[in-house]
Amino acid sequence: MPELPEVEAARRAIQDNCVGKKITKAIVADDSKVIDGVSRADFEASLLGKTIISAHRKGKNMWLQLDSPPFPSFQFGMAGAVYIKGVAVTKYKRSAVKDTDEWPSKYSKVFVQLDDGLEFSFTDKRRFAKVRLLKDPTSVPPISELGPDALLEPMTVDVLFASLSKKKISIKALLLDQSFISGIGNWVADEVLYQARIHPEQSSATLSKECVEALHKSIKEVIEYAVQVDAESIHFPCEWLFHFRWGKRAGKINGKKIDFITVGGRTSAFVPELQKLTGNQAANAESKRTSKRVDDVDEEASDKEVKGTAKSRKGRKPGGQAKRSTVKRKSKGSDEDNDNDDSTDDVDHDDNDDSADEDMKNRTRKVTTNKQSKAEMTSKKKKQTSQNAKPKKRAK
């Protein structure tokens, strides 16, 4: 989705190509899911004849200052994008319009023509964006609720450290919180944490001063570099995680495995070999891994014992034909029962032969009882059918 670098590239494109020009035509989509709180007709009327004075941005939001209010405000959502006809504007993942597509795009939500003939459009294929008409965009949500802009209002290291020390949520979730710091989205958060060598699940309050300094540096460097190249990912350094994080595919970066976990409700890419949990979280994680390994070993051993007991019973030589027949029926019945029942998964993970034998006896008794009940029911049905089939005596 568009994050600070992509939205800043769109703002700069508007600033460089549209400022000082008058709007001579406006077409607003009839889409109340995206066009928020204003009718199509009122929106179009508010744009016509106005001159664009400047383009502003905070976090992932952009708005155009006209020569008089109200001003159009754009919250980009998952796939919002700005296109200027004949002008190269940053294209990023999930953007909808290609150079060969119709113009304006069928996904256009706001289309504007300027007095020199230049045209631009705000599109949204997935319809998660919000376009509003506001007298003062900075005084109302969502912009009024945003934290400091990661590019324009960077925190100092000391302020960042003090702020993080009060937060007990994971650092990845906190970076995605736009009320804490605005402009950082999923790919930027993954990148800065990778560059700073911080695990995305690490509790914010547990980060050392050295880790916070590394995080502060990586936020500054990643965002400034991405903005400098107008968010064109082909110009991102080849060692960035960005090039390897998409699609949840198994991959490596510089020979090191990338893993994917969910943090703060978002898929997070990280490199376990470089981004490790620290302090109590590391100990707890290791304890869980050890417990899981023990459980896996015990479960495997238990499964082998149950199977081994079953095989030994099948291979045991009975004292006579009647016993052999009975044992065979029980084994077959037990296997059939297991095919339709997951109860073998409930066997206690215990290295005790008696426990496994007792469990096998119980299963055998259960199957035998079930078969006896079925046999009795079948016998009753046959008897009833036989009685009903007898011919009635003719009346004399």
Side-chain angles (χ1 to χ4, degrees), residues 165-225:
S165 65
K166 302 172 185 177
K167 308 291 184 179
K168 295 183 179 180
I169 66 171
S170 69
I171 184 60
K172 170 68 183 284
L174 185 59
L175 290 177
L176 294 178
D177 182 354
Q178 299 302 294
S179 66
F180 177 74
I181 184 171
S182 60
I184 295 179
N186 207 29
W187 81 256
V188 172
D190 282 352
E191 191 64 52
V192 300
L193 290 174
Y194 168 70
Q195 300 291 344
R197 303 299 191 251
I198 297 173
H199 194 288
E201 291 183 311
Q202 186 71 42
S203 173
S204 302
T206 64
L207 291 174
S208 67
K209 187 68 176 289
E210 291 75 16
C211 285
V212 174
E213 289 174 350
L215 177 63
H216 183 272
K217 179 183 178 183
S218 65
I219 291 174
K220 175 180 170 62
E221 291 181 348
V222 167
I223 289 180
E224 287 186 353
Y225 191 94

Side-chain angles (χ1 to χ4, degrees), residues 64-131:
L64 304 183
Q65 181 180 345
L66 307 180
D67 54 5
S68 64
F71 307 140
S73 170
F74 305 88
Q75 187 176 3
F76 280 55
M78 292 292 288
V82 167
Y83 294 92
I84 303 176
K85 190 174 184 180
V87 177
V89 182
T90 296
K91 294 180 181 178
Y92 46 88
K93 290 182 180 294
R94 302 193 189 200
S95 59
V97 180
K98 299 178 182 178
D99 294 336
T100 56
D101 288 350
E102 62 181 319
W103 180 265
S105 167
K106 63 182 178 181
Y107 303 117
S108 176
K109 303 305 174 183
V110 177
F111 168 81
V112 168
Q113 184 181 73
L114 303 175
D115 56 4
D116 67 345
L118 190 68
E119 299 173 346
F120 73 87
S121 171
F122 178 82
T123 71
D124 179 26
K125 182 177 181 179
R126 303 192 69 193
R127 302 176 67 217
F128 287 109
K130 293 293 181 185
V131 181

Side-chain angles (χ1 to χ4, degrees), residues 278-292:
T278 61
N280 291 336
Q281 285 184 272
N284 292 338
E286 181 58 31
S287 176
K288 288 180 181 179
R289 284 194 293 270
T290 302
S291 177
K292 186 177 186 304

